[in-house]
Each structure stands twice: as structure tokens, then as C-alpha cells.
Amino acid sequence: MTDLATQVAGLTTSVNALTSAVNVAKATLDASVSAAGASATTAQAAVTTAASSATTAQAAQAAAVAVSGLSNLNGFLGQIQAGAPQAVFWYDTTRDSDGGAWRKRCAARSWATMTLGTATRGSRADFPAQTLFVVDSTNVLTIYDADQATPVMWAKIGGPGKAVDLNSGCSQVFALNGMIYLAANGQGLFVISLLGAEMITRSTAGGTAPRAYGVANANASSMAEINIPGGAVLISNTVTAVTAAVLPGAPIERATGLPKPAVAAATTAGISVIHATGLVASISAGGGYFTCAIIEGQRLAAILAANSNIVDYGPIPYASASRAAWVQYSTGTQSSGGAIQRPDTVGIGGVIDGALRNNSALWRYIEDPLNGSAGMQAMITASGNSYAGGGAFNTGWLVGDCRLALSSTSTASMTGANIASWTSAAGTTGWATTDGNLTLSISGSDLQIAETASTVTASKAVYQLSGCVVGQTYLVALTMRRGTVGAIMRSEVTDNGATTALAGGYTASTTASTVFMQFRAVDTSPKVRINFDSPYTAGQTGLVTSLSVDLAEPDRSVAAVGIRTVGTLTKSLVATTADLSAIGGFGAGNYLIQPYNPGLDFGTGDFAVVLWCQLTNAPSYSLVNRWPASGYTTGGWNVGFASGAPTFNIAGGPTAAASNPIPVAVWTQIVAARRGANLELWVNGIRAATAANNQTVTNTSALLSVGANPDGSNTSGGASVALLRISATAPTPEQIARMYADERPLFQPGAKCVLGGTSAAVQGLAHDPDTGALYAAKADGTSVFQGLVRTAHLTGLATTSNSDNHTAVAARQGGYVIATANQAVASQPAITFRDRILADRVPVAPIDANRVVFPAVATTDATPTVIARLPVAEGDELQLFVDVGATEYGAAPSERMGYQRRARVYRLPNGNVTVAAVQTLGTDYESATTTCDVTVVADTVSQTVCVQATGVAAKRLVWSTLAHVNRSGATRYAA
């Protein structure tokens, strides 16, 4: 074949191959085009379906809007009013006694027939189920309709010179059962009735007078006041707070069908309680109270203005009395007792049922109404906190008389450091005096401080420290005693300039005793100072045996006795990105130790050790113990493990030992409690073991140690510890269950448990009963808590002139209204979500005027005490059946009682309540003391019929009362 033929043949082959390839490619392309066409058809069908669904959804929303009458159903977040509000409140009428049904009976009321769409009246005639109240800087109350997706003005009420005249400001607004209460600074208490007589009244120290008839006249000029005979007379015109509640057995107002609330008005002279019957009972107190709360419908809690570290608790009064005669117990300071002791001296700013706020923390508390010293509290702070050792922490629940609480969010390592250690062997080196009225000398093994001249101010002996690190916590152990000084030797720690007191203590003993002072350094050279108590008389002497100052892990409890680090320990987060940290790294020469602390000598009394721990194996050692430096003698105890199973032992008696080891690498709660003569060991809220052991736990040589024995032996390698607490109170099973349930979430990944932002000063509190959320408003936002876990920190709420300085807050149904320095902002969930909350909520219980259950009341002696009472109206007549049960408070009661009484009671018009007869039904049951009794008596001061109980001397008895009321009077339970 010629070359040309060969080339042609090759070309033909190539062309044929190319043609074949092109044909294959074309077939593939045709298939792809066909598939694409099918996909396009499918996509178009999906678009058509989506469009149809959107149309259906729009139609459904339009139908829902048409049915509801609302503009839309969406959620809302934003500003509702410019300017700095004075007070905010969320009025949820669905929580009124009739669930808000009264709103549907008001078509003829003045406010429902007003001209709508004006500057002071919105476009909606009926009263909304949900309203937001905002008192602005011009002293005008604006009521917003919160039934709408976007809150809109429903009405504006008041202003200078008007019937509701708040010209001096308004400290608080409250509403219940169709009544609005305004606490006016200097103007008394304004009450606006939305139903019934609709009368607007003003109560002052001069009496109660009408201001206007009908809400429609609230913005008219104030009418001339003529006091209403028998109207409420407040203890002062300056009302600082107001709250209201329907008390058990409250009379039903015939004009409205609703029970009448009792109203508590805190003032600058005390608290005035306006009862449903019209009776006013006032509690007088120097300086008055600046806030108050009605707790569980049976007690008042109020913050004393003259000493804002104090919260007073007492029964709702039915007769005027002084503070000293009224208060049952006060809580707040280190020495005041009760369940809400705080380790700092910054004033409390507010109290609601279950929470306190102050300049250093948010306090959650669960009060024991029958024993004020046995409740629980939790302190929650932010990084800017400088009290109780400083920094951000959450203590978990502290039970009763807590003597130690360790909690931290730091991950910095802990290394022991001694700052000072002085004994008489050093002579007077390091000591000086503030003036020439004191002399210092060594007397035997003591430093003697002698006063050489009488003075009017305290002369002080001073020991200068150095080498402190700013922001770190230190523990001073000062052993001293008074010599010839008449009363007390005092000690304190100050900054180097002696301008700021960082900690203090004292002793009144003539034998050597150790005073502990925990302080947070604000400079590198603080001072320890000692002086005598007034009068400062020549010839007085006091003696100091030793002084030591060590770096310490801070004690967050009121005891404020920190614990020292031996060697070096580590801190790490309990879970990824969680807030809470734990202490670990225990080993040879690395553990925690506290010197002898008499506060941990519990004798044969109750006490408890609570902690969370995580183990890396199944060890056998003591994790937390209190023994002498050598030897395990009487008075010692330990909480540890035997092959990973928790144990609790007091020297000289049996051990409570769990049967099973705890899981490895899992956070576990352990509660070791001695209750009465028994040891109890609880693991994750479940009682795992018990043992009979009533041995003493007092030992004046005992040292508290964590992670090893006091001598450094038997180290707890592989263990980590968090939230260690020691208390002189044994928690009840219910408290232990609550502790576990609330603290368990703190150990989950991402769990936040401290205040958001840096500020620890809480400026406002609110509780949402629908979601259980607690709102804490601060200068840098609002932190939201569920239990002990922070679920949100709210900032940047307004798009215009936003301020994160949140001064007050109110919350309901998953929404809130917040007062900031620049505006009022509100948030509401979508209306469909709010409807779901209402559907899931337990309905408001109907009021049964014929069957009344009263809160339990405690007696502690044999003095006859009122345990229940019912108001009796003029013309009323009733037959009362009373069923009373009582038992002794505590784990092992011996006193049990049961009584039934029938009484005939009446009150003539213009007359006093009278008990005509009292009969015993059946036979009284009394298990031990037979001198107890229950009877029915008349109280003509409060015009109430009272159930009165006589208890047992030196025993706390708890009385529960059920009353059946058969009324036959003409007025039929009228007010």
C-alpha cells in the first residue's frame, strides 16, 4: 500500500473513531438533557407546592388574626417607651382570683366607654388580659396592651396636678383583682379600682379620701379630698413599696365577686397593712422600710431602711406594734441568724419570694417558714464581686447554719504561701501603735497591749503585712485574749492606708482563743489592727499569743474561715465550657487544711458534709476529714471511700457505708449527715446507708483537711472536689433531693451558673411563675436563671439609644419588661407560644369561702398563739368547724396532737365579733403532753375569729388548720 493509501486508511479509522465517540457523547448529553428536564419539572412542582403552602399559611394566619382580633401573632422585642422609667410591672389578669373573668363584666365602666384613640386613651375599649405598666420620668403611668404582638398604649394615667398625682415620683406599681396600687413618694398610696365602685382613692397619714369617681377622671384636676370615715390611715405619706395578696379566708366583695386582697405599704416610718376588712395594722420602725413582700400568704418580709443589711420576717399583723414586738426573726448579717445570712455588709436592695438582691450578689433562698434557721440559700456573683473572697462563683445550696462553703470558677492553680507568722519569740518586731496611749511588751509567751491613758477614741496596736497579691484571699489566724480589759478585744484588717476595713473579729474570752479574719487584698501591704472596746480606760490590757497570715481558698459562707493550700493543687472546669471549677491534683504534699476552728466542734448535735466529687479509680481513702494532726481520736470524723464506695464515720462508733462504688469519671453528689443519733449517707439524692452513731465531734486539736489526712498521709490521688459545704444543720430528705436536682445541671457541658457581665450589683428582681425563670437586672444587662443555672444574659435590647443599665424588671408568660437608664424595653413570645403556656399552666384555684386551708404555724412555747383567723363582717353569723393537727418539728417527734372544735360566731351591725359557744367534737388526741389545747376566740381589734393553740415549753410544734364555714348571716360574707 502506498504511503498515501496508508495515510487515508489511518485518517478513515480516526474519523470513524471520532464519529463513534461523538455519537456516544451525544447520547449521554441527550440523556442528561432529558434528566434535567425531569428535574426542572420536579423543581417547578415543588415551587408550586411551596407557593401553595405559603398561601395556606398566610390564609391560616389571616384567619387566626381575624378570629383573635389581633394585628398579628408574632413575637416582639424592642423599646416601648423612651426615657428612664421609675417603675415597671407586668399585670397578668389570668392570675387574678377568677382567672381574669372580671374583664368581661366591664362594658359599662367609665374606662370602657371613654373616647378612644386619644393621647391618653388607646383604641381598645376592654381591659387587656396582659398589660405592662411603666411609670415614666414625668410621673405618668402608661398601661400597655400586651395582648397584641406589639404592645401599644391602652391608657395614660396621672401626672402633676391630676387626680392621680405622682409629682414626687413613684417607687412601685402593683395590681391584683382589678385594683391598681401606686406607691407615691410623699403623696401616699393611690388605689385605682377598675371595677366595683371604680373609686380612685389616696391613703395617707391623715386618712383615706376619694380623688376621682371613675378611671375616666384619673387625668382630671384633683378634686377636694374629704376623708372617708374608717378609711385607711398610713403610718407615713412616703410610700416606698407596695404589694398585695389574697389571704386565706379573705372576704368576698359582693360588688365584684372577688376576694379582697390585703395590701402592704412600706413607708419611711414602717409598714401599714390594709386588710380586706378595712383594718389597718402598722409596724413602726425607725427609718422605716424601703421594700416589702408578702411571703406565701402568711408572712411579711421587709428590708429595714436604717440597716439595709437586715431583712425582717414576721406574721402579717392584725394590730399595730413596734418592730421589736412584731419581728419573729431577722436575717442578713453574720450575727442575726436565720436562713439568709450573708458574709458581707453591703445593703440588700430588694426581696421577693425566693430571692434577694444586693450590691454583691443574687441570693436564691428556700425559706423554712416553721424554723427560720433551717432554710437554704445560694449566693451567685459575677467577676466584679469583691465580697466573700471575691470573683464569680455559685455556692450551690447552703443549708441552715453553714460553716464552710468552697466554690470557684477559676482555673488558676493553687499554691500555698505564708505571708506572716509571729510568736512572742520574735518580740515586738513588726508591731507598732497608732498613738502614744498604748505600750507593747512581751509578757511570758504573749504580746501585752497596755493602755496608758484614758481616751475618747480607740488606740490600736498594728502589725504591718507585706507581700500580698491584690485580688487574692488571705486568712488571718489571731490567737488572743483579754486581760484586764472590761469587755471585748477587737481586731480588723485594713488596707495599708487604714481607710478601708477588709475584715474584722473580736473575742470576749479571758482564755486564749483564735479569731479568724478572711480578707481580699486591695494592696500589697495591709494592716492587722487590735484595740479594746469603749470605754478606753487607762490600765486596760490585752494579750496576743500568735499571728499567722496565709494565702487561702476563700470560704463563701457567713463564717468566712478560708482553707489553706499545702503544696500545689489544680483547678479545672467540671465540664467543657461550664462555669464551675473543681479542685484536684491531690497527692504527696498537696492538699487543703484549715487550722483548728471551734465553729466545727458540733458536739453531739446535727451536722452535714455536702460535696460533689469525681474519681479516676475505685480508691480506699478519706477525702474530707477532721482529725488531730496525728492520731485518729475521739471527736474526729471522715467522709471517704472503701473500694470506691462512699463511707461516713465518726470516731468511736459504727460507719455508714454504701454497698456500691460510685461511677468512675462521673460527677457524684455525696451528703454525709448526722441527724439525731444516726449517721446518714446520701448518694445523688438517694439514701445509701445509715448507722447509729451519737459520738461527739468536738476536739480542740482537730484540723479540717481535704485530699489527705492532716499529717499529709493517705492522699486522695485522682479525686476532684467541687461545692464542698459543712453545716451545723442536717438537711431534710426534701432538701437533699432539691439540692441534687438543682445542682446536677451545673456539671453539664456549657452550664453557666454565675451572673453574666462583670457587675455583681443586682438592681431589680422578677420571677416568672409561668416559666419558673428568675430575672436579675444589673448595670450591664439582665441575667436569667432557671434554678441555679443561668439560661440567658440579656443585653442590646433596644436598637435606638440602647442602655444595658437595667434598673428594674417584671416578667410573665415567657416575656419581660425592663426599665433601663434610657428606655423601657419589652419582650413577648409569639402569641401562639403564650397560648401554649396558658394551656399548660395549672388553672387558678377557685376560691371556696366555705372551706379554708391555713398555712402551717409553729409554736415554740406554751403561750396561747393564734394559728388561723377569719374576718367577720357586720351582720355576719356563722358556724365554724375546725380540724387541727400538730406534730413536733424534727426527725424524731414525740409530740402528736389532734383536735376538733365547733364554734358559733356572730357580729351584730356596728358591733364586735362574738364567739357564742365552743364545743369539743370527739376526743382530743395527745401523744405526750396533755396540757396542750385548741380553742376558738374573738379578736375585737381586728374583728376576726381566731383559732388559738397552746403548745409545749421549749418544743417547736407545727400546727395545721382546716376550717369549714357555714354562714347564715344576712350579709353573706360581705366585707
Side-chain angles (χ1 to χ4, degrees):
M1 183 180 291
T2 64
D3 290 341
L4 179 61
T6 300
Q7 292 176 7
V8 170
L11 179 61
T12 301
T13 301
S14 298
V15 169
N16 290 337
L18 177 62
T19 301
S20 177
V22 167
N23 288 336
V24 170
K26 181 177 183 303
T28 301
L29 179 61
D30 288 343
S32 297
V33 169
S34 177
S39 297
T41 301
T42 302
Q44 184 59 48
V47 169
T48 302
T49 301
S52 176
S53 298
T55 301
T56 301
Q58 291 170 358
Q61 174 150 324
V65 167
V67 170
S68 67
L70 302 173
S71 58
N72 64 71
L73 305 177
N74 299 324
F76 171 80
L77 170 61
Q79 176 176 300
I80 59 173
Q81 186 180 97
Q86 299 182 55
V88 294
F89 183 74
W90 187 311
Y91 181 22
D92 180 1
T93 65
T94 65
R95 289 192 172 274
D96 284 342
S97 296
D98 65 350
W102 62 266
R103 300 168 42 250
K104 303 303 182 183
R105 306 194 301 271
C106 296
R109 300 297 172 190
S110 66
W111 46 265
T113 56
M114 291 173 65
T115 301
L116 303 179
T118 68
T120 58
R121 190 67 172 85
S123 59
R124 179 176 178 176
D126 64 319
F127 193 80
Q130 302 292 325
T131 53
L132 309 180
F133 291 179
V134 180
V135 180
D136 63 27
S137 58
T138 66
N139 303 318
V140 173
L141 168 65
T142 302
I143 303 176
Y144 290 91
D145 178 1
D147 287 347
Q148 307 292 330
T150 300
V152 295
M153 185 269 290
W154 184 82
K156 289 181 178 290
I157 293 178
K162 296 183 179 180
V164 179
D165 189 347
L166 304 174
N167 63 11
S168 298
C170 177
S171 54
Q172 192 172 4
V173 57
F174 195 90
L176 179 67
N177 281 2
M179 306 290 285
I180 301 172
Y181 307 95
L182 297 165
N185 301 328
Q187 295 291 312
L189 177 67
F190 285 93
V191 181
I192 304 172
S193 172
L194 296 173
L195 65 166
E198 278 198 274
M199 182 184 293
I200 296 176
T201 59
R202 183 173 76 106
S203 298
T204 66
T208 296
R211 277 284 206 167
Y213 294 99
V215 175
N217 296 318
N219 295 323
S221 297
S222 177
M223 62 186 292
E225 292 186 343
I226 301 175
N227 285 353
I228 303 169
V233 179
L234 302 184
I235 196 170
S236 168
N237 287 350
T238 303
V239 182
T240 56
V242 63
T243 187
V246 174
L247 304 183
I252 306 298
E253 187 175 15
R254 295 185 70 186
T256 65
L258 293 171
K260 297 183 69 174
V263 182
T267 77
T268 53
I271 298 177
S272 292
V273 177
I274 307 170
H275 285 278
T277 58
L279 167 75
V280 180
S282 294
I283 304 160
S284 58
Y289 294 92
F290 65 80
T291 190
C292 63
I294 295 176
I295 306 296
E296 296 180 351
Q298 61 176 323
R299 293 181 312 290
L300 276 177
I303 299 173
L304 197 64
N307 185 348
S308 59
N309 302 315
I310 300 295
V311 183
D312 283 347
Y313 283 84
I316 294 173
Y318 285 83
S320 294
S322 67
R323 171 183 179 259
W326 164 75
V327 66
Q328 288 182 327
Y329 60 92
S330 297
T331 63
T333 65
Q334 294 186 23
S335 59
S336 62
I340 316 169
Q341 299 179 56
R342 300 177 302 108
D344 62 83
T345 56
V346 176
I348 301 170
V351 55
I352 61 175
D353 197 352
L356 294 170
R357 64 178 176 88
N358 69 359
N359 291 334
S360 61
L362 165 67
W363 290 84
R364 304 219 66 170
Y365 73 91
I366 303 173
E367 188 195 9
D368 184 339
L370 303 173
N371 184 0
S373 63
M376 298 198 300
Q377 63 173 339
M379 183 181 183
I380 303 170
T381 68
S383 58
N385 164 56
S386 60
Y387 293 93
F393 60 86
N394 183 323
T395 62
W397 287 117
L398 311 180
V399 179
D401 186 3
C402 187
R403 306 288 177 87
L404 177 74
L406 303 184
S407 176
S408 178
T409 56
S410 170
T411 55
S413 62
M414 306 159 55
T415 301
N418 177 256
I419 300 301
S421 182
W422 176 91
T423 64
S424 61
T428 59
T429 301
W431 290 93
T433 63
T434 55
D435 56 43
N437 295 321
L438 291 180
T439 61
L440 305 176
S441 62
I442 298 300
S443 175
S445 59
D446 298 309
L447 172 74
Q448 179 175 280
I449 305 170
E451 190 139 19
T452 59
S454 299
T455 62
V456 295
T457 58
S459 301
K460 301 187 178 185
V462 180
Y463 191 88
Q464 181 73 59
L465 303 177
S466 64
C468 291
V469 177
V470 175
Q472 294 278 33
T473 301
Y474 296 88
L475 180 67
V476 177
L478 181 63
T479 302
M480 62 183 185
R481 70 185 190 277
R482 62 185 180 91
T484 60
V485 64
I488 289 174
M489 279 183 70
R490 295 191 180 277
S491 59
E492 65 177 351
V493 182
T494 72
D495 64 323
N496 190 39
T499 59
T500 303
L502 305 177
Y506 69 90
T507 181
S509 176
T510 56
T511 58
S513 60
T514 301
V515 175
F516 292 105
M517 295 182 291
Q518 174 180 285
F519 72 95
R520 189 170 190 252
V522 296
D523 55 33
T524 60
S525 303
K527 296 177 178 179
V528 178
R529 309 202 306 174
I530 301 172
N531 66 273
F532 307 139
D533 218 5
S534 177
Y536 312 115
T537 307
Q540 295 185 97
T541 61
L543 300 110
V544 177
T545 303
S546 64
L547 168 69
S548 65
V549 182
D550 291 88
L551 188 66
E553 181 68 9
D555 174 12
R556 312 298 191 176
S557 80
V558 69
V561 182
I563 191 165
R564 302 167 178 170
T565 301
V566 177
T568 299
L569 296 173
T570 60
K571 286 184 180 178
S572 57
L573 298 181
V574 297
T576 306
T577 68
D579 275 350
L580 189 66
S581 65
I583 300 172
F586 300 113
N590 302 308
Y591 57 99
L592 294 171
I593 194 163
Q594 186 187 76
Y596 168 69
N597 177 1
L600 300 183
D601 281 340
F602 302 124
T604 57
D606 291 358
F607 75 101
V609 180
V610 182
L611 59 92
W612 286 80
C613 66
Q614 186 182 70
L615 307 179
T616 58
N617 51 31
S620 295
Y621 51 54
S622 174
L623 183 59
V624 181
N625 61 75
R626 189 171 185 261
W627 299 110
S630 61
Y632 309 116
T633 60
T634 300
W637 55 261
N638 72 79
V639 177
F641 301 92
S643 300
T647 63
F648 176 34
N649 171 254
I650 297 175
T655 298
S659 301
N660 300 310
I662 65 173
V664 172
V666 175
W667 282 104
T668 301
Q669 186 199 57
I670 295 175
V671 178
R674 200 258 294 280
R675 193 190 321 276
N678 293 292
L679 305 187
E680 299 176 2
L681 189 61
W682 298 72
V683 178
N684 289 341
I686 299 172
R687 188 164 58 191
T690 62
N693 190 321
N694 62 354
Q695 303 298 311
T696 183
V697 288
T698 293
N699 189 314
T700 57
S701 300
L703 309 175
L704 176 70
S705 60
V706 181
N709 290 340
D711 60 3
S713 64
N714 195 23
T715 56
S716 308
S720 297
V721 177
L723 296 183
L724 170 62
R725 290 145 287 175
I726 301 177
S727 176
T729 305
T732 66
E734 293 82 2
Q735 288 175 325
I736 293 172
R738 178 67 180 269
M739 292 166 72
Y740 176 72
D742 287 355
E743 293 170 11
R744 172 79 261 177
L746 305 184
F747 294 83
Q748 300 300 318
K752 304 303 177 185
C753 64
V754 297
L755 293 170
T758 60
S759 173
V762 181
Q763 302 180 142
L765 284 177
H767 175 249
D768 184 346
D770 297 307
T771 65
L774 177 70
Y775 292 74
K778 309 189 296 120
D780 55 3
T782 294
S783 291
V784 186
F785 285 83
Q786 290 276 0
L788 300 178
V789 175
R790 191 187 83 232
T791 57
H793 185 65
L794 308 174
T795 58
L797 303 181
T799 57
T800 303
S801 301
N802 175 70
S803 172
D804 288 334
N805 183 5
H806 297 176
T807 59
V809 59
R812 286 291 187 275
Q813 293 189 18
Y816 55 79
V817 55
I818 293 175
T820 83
N822 289 347
Q823 65 272 118
V825 293
S827 173
Q828 296 190 120
I831 289 175
T832 51
F833 178 72
R834 284 185 268 163
D835 288 345
R836 182 69 263 165
I837 290 177
L838 288 175
D840 292 341
R841 192 170 77 189
V842 176
V844 175
I847 300 297
D848 186 349
N850 301 110
R851 183 180 185 275
V852 184
V853 179
F854 292 90
V857 174
T859 62
T860 56
D861 53 34
T863 303
T865 303
V866 173
I867 59 174
R869 67 173 73 224
L870 286 166
V872 181
E874 293 181 18
D876 208 357
E877 188 157 342
L878 57 91
Q879 187 156 265
L880 184 65
F881 296 85
V882 178
D883 191 348
V884 178
T887 188
E888 187 178 358
Y889 182 93
S894 61
E895 302 280 359
R896 296 178 180 85
M897 297 92 167
Y899 308 89
Q900 289 187 330
R901 300 289 185 264
R902 177 172 61 195
R904 189 70 185 181
V905 182
Y906 67 90
R907 183 182 174 194
L908 298 177
N910 299 310
N912 291 324
V913 60
T914 302
V915 175
V918 180
Q919 296 175 305
T920 297
L921 303 180
T923 302
D924 293 345
Y925 171 74
E926 295 170 333
S927 64
T929 305
T930 59
T931 56
C932 299
D933 193 20
V934 167
T935 189
V936 179
V937 298
D939 181 351
T940 57
V941 174
S942 63
Q943 300 301 341
T944 58
V945 57
C946 304
V947 182
Q948 184 173 276
T950 301
V952 181
K955 288 188 178 182
R956 185 180 297 272
L957 303 184
V958 179
W959 302 81
S960 299
T961 305
L962 171 64
H964 294 269
V965 186
N966 183 7
R967 294 184 178 270
S968 57
T971 56
R972 190 63 183 169
Y973 215 38

